[in-house]
Amino acid sequence: MEAPKQEVLTAPELPPMVLMLPSPGMGHLIPMIEFAKRIPLHQNLHITFVLPNAGPPSKAQTTVLQSLPNSISHTFLPPVTFTDLPPNTKTETLISLTVLLSLPSLRQTIHSLSVSHTITTLLVDHFGTDAFDVAGEFNLPKYIFYPSTAMSLSLFLYLPRLDQEVHCEYRELTEPVKIPGCIPVHGKDLLNPVQDRKNDAYRTVLRNAKRHSEADGIIENSFLELEPGPIKELQKGKPVLYPVGPLVNREVEVAQAGPNCSECLKWLDDQPDKSVLFVSFGSRGTLSSNQTIELALGLEKSEQRFLWVVRSPYDKVVNASYFTAESDSDPFDFLPNGFLERTKGRGFVTSSWAPQPQVLAHGSTGGFLTHCGWNSVLESIVNGMPLVVWPLYAEQRMNAVILTEGVKVGLRPNVGESGLIERQEIASVVKCLMEGEEGKKLRCKMKDLKEAAAKTLGENGTSTNTISKLALKWSNSNKSNVTN
């Protein structure tokens, strides 16, 4: 009689997981989420967002994270506290410090998650490179998700060399800075935090920039037709570049957004085709009191239809709400007397927020006055929307250079002798975009970019295939460490 076969015991293979660690700020979280949502479409990978914070999670964070599919989970690390920091510490430093002080909690989280999953990769953004130290302890491949342009990524990689070669402030240079593969850019248009080399923001950016070369790969939220020069140049060297853009969120839960949201969309429904200029400076951008008045009077003087998301002004910095609570003041109180009455019917003004994806996709919207945040730029491109560019902070001036001098899909108003963009200039540029010959040319060029974006995100598009290859790579990582 044949002896019964012995059952061969095998170690269970834990399902693979990718950890994604965005630094604080919805502008960092949203594009990383859009990337994460596409990963499980290609491989059976679970994704966990690990979120450092300097306080309790914001309502915006929790709302967007709770709406994600089951294949994407999240965990908030214990909030960190800042001690002995000067009161004028820059935002970039606070962001990077939040990650640095969260590393002990990150280490514990990886230990905990490793019980149920094989963690194959740690993905951080450009302010999270301190987490590379923890990735090294666990022998994890480390990747950077760069949420902005390939041009500003090129600056990050070039900055350590530039820091050694240039001895004055970059804005004092008489010749444009020649970043490899990029159109020349004046020093005054480089990233905000590198404009003062003596402050903490510059040291923070430089420290993170130096660590970019340690990454196993950099995932870039752009695409070849939009930035051919920098992407081709970056692909020649290391780290390996993975262009996956344009990644944007095209869905908003209008029913949960409040009455103003529905009202502005209803108002758009009643406007002529391509007739409305959408005016928004993102979730964090603020203007001064005087600039708010000039913008209002410029929109009025242009005689064009407009939908304006107005915020309470702030006279000190242009990203006032990044680490602070929203102002309790009514933004309408800062508008010129009689402005709302004089523009009634032709203009719609809403406070603080509007469903940007729906507004840009609406048939009545014909242009976008934007602060040039990269999320907003990419949303404009996928909707074929020509631009008036009004950069405020971060890398937005570099973005404006790409849009006006590179792909040439935007107009940039000039700053007057007063230090403000004055009403007459605003009116002139808005009118040119909405009904002038130059505006028509910009619209045609943006239409070409829209088609290229749709193609690269299509079934066999370059970005789609790149994401598929990354997903396969990450799902197979560390399998050699599992006993079969």
Side-chain angles (χ1 to χ4, degrees), residues 355-383:
Q356 184 163 299
Q358 275 94 338
V359 171
L360 292 175
H362 199 285
S364 295
T365 307
F368 184 15
L369 191 159
T370 174
H371 66 312
C372 298
W374 196 234
N375 290 342
S376 292
V377 170
L378 294 180
E379 287 178 6
S380 305
I381 288 170
V382 299
N383 287 292

Side-chain angles (χ1 to χ4, degrees), residues 280 282-283 308-312 326-327 329 331-332 350-354:
S280 176
S283 60
W308 181 12
V309 183
V310 66
R311 303 175 66 86
S312 295
E326 293 285 338
S327 171
S329 57
F332 287 21
T350 183
S351 61
S352 299
W353 194 85

Side-chain angles (χ1 to χ4, degrees), residues 20 42 74 78 191 203 239 246 280 365 379 429 434 443 451:
M20 297 192 177
H42 300 277
H74 67 274
L191 308 177
R203 293 190 295 273
S280 176
T365 307
E379 287 178 6
V429 170
M434 298 303 292
R443 200 175 307 278
E451 292 172 354

Side-chain angles (χ1 to χ4, degrees), residues 54-67:
S58 70
K59 182 180 179 182
Q61 280 180 317
T62 54
T63 299
V64 70
L65 288 166
Q66 288 172 357
S67 69

Side-chain angles (χ1 to χ4, degrees), residues 33-247:
I33 282 177
E34 291 308 310
F35 174 61
K37 282 158 63 174
R38 288 161 172 80
I39 291 290
L41 300 177
H42 300 277
Q43 295 291 330
N44 185 27
L45 268 174
H46 189 86
I47 295 165
T48 295
F49 277 89
V50 182
L51 294 106
N53 270 302
S58 70
K59 182 180 179 182
Q61 280 180 317
T62 54
T63 299
V64 70
L65 288 166
Q66 288 172 357
S67 69
L68 296 177
N70 293 334
S71 58
I72 305 175
S73 59
H74 67 274
T75 180
F76 287 100
L77 299 178
V80 303
T81 55
F82 302 125
T83 57
D84 301 326
L85 286 180
N88 60 343
T89 301
K90 301 294 184 182
T91 297
E92 293 81 6
T93 300
L94 294 174
I95 290 172
S96 196
L97 271 178
T98 303
V99 175
L100 179 62
L101 296 174
S102 297
L103 295 188
S105 300
L106 173 63
R107 190 176 291 111
Q108 293 172 6
T109 299
I110 293 177
H111 271 299
S112 175
L113 293 173
S114 296
V115 173
S116 56
H117 288 80
T118 297
I119 298 175
T120 67
T121 304
L122 177 66
L123 178 73
V124 305
D125 64 33
H126 54 305
F127 282 115
T129 59
D130 285 315
F132 283 177
D133 295 335
V134 177
E137 295 171 18
F138 290 90
N139 197 30
L140 294 176
K142 43 195 182 293
Y143 286 75
I144 293 172
F145 180 85
Y146 199 83
S148 189
T149 64
M151 182 180 183
S152 57
L153 170 60
S154 299
L155 174 62
F156 256 70
L157 294 172
Y158 186 58
L159 189 61
R161 176 179 166 183
L162 194 66
D163 180 70
Q164 294 295 315
E165 294 178 348
V166 176
H167 303 291
C168 63
E169 294 292 352
Y170 301 127
R171 63 179 177 273
E172 296 171 355
L173 292 170
T174 56
E175 295 293 326
V177 178
K178 295 180 180 178
I179 305 166
C182 303
I183 56 175
V185 57
H186 288 284
K188 63 182 175 60
D189 282 330
L190 295 178
L191 308 177
N192 257 48
V194 307
Q195 291 299 326
D196 182 355
R197 298 175 68 179
K198 301 180 185 68
N199 71 24
D200 59 277
Y202 180 75
R203 293 190 295 273
T204 296
V205 169
L206 182 60
R207 181 169 57 83
N208 279 281
K210 287 178 177 178
R211 300 203 69 175
H212 274 49
S213 61
E214 301 174 31
D216 293 288
I218 300 179
I219 295 145
E220 163 60 46
N221 191 13
S222 189
F223 60 107
L224 186 63
E225 291 80 2
L226 177 57
E227 296 188 88
I231 287 179
K232 288 178 181 177
E233 185 68 26
L234 288 168
Q235 287 177 327
K236 294 177 184 177
K238 291 185 177 181
V240 180
L241 184 76
Y242 298 93
V244 298
L247 302 175

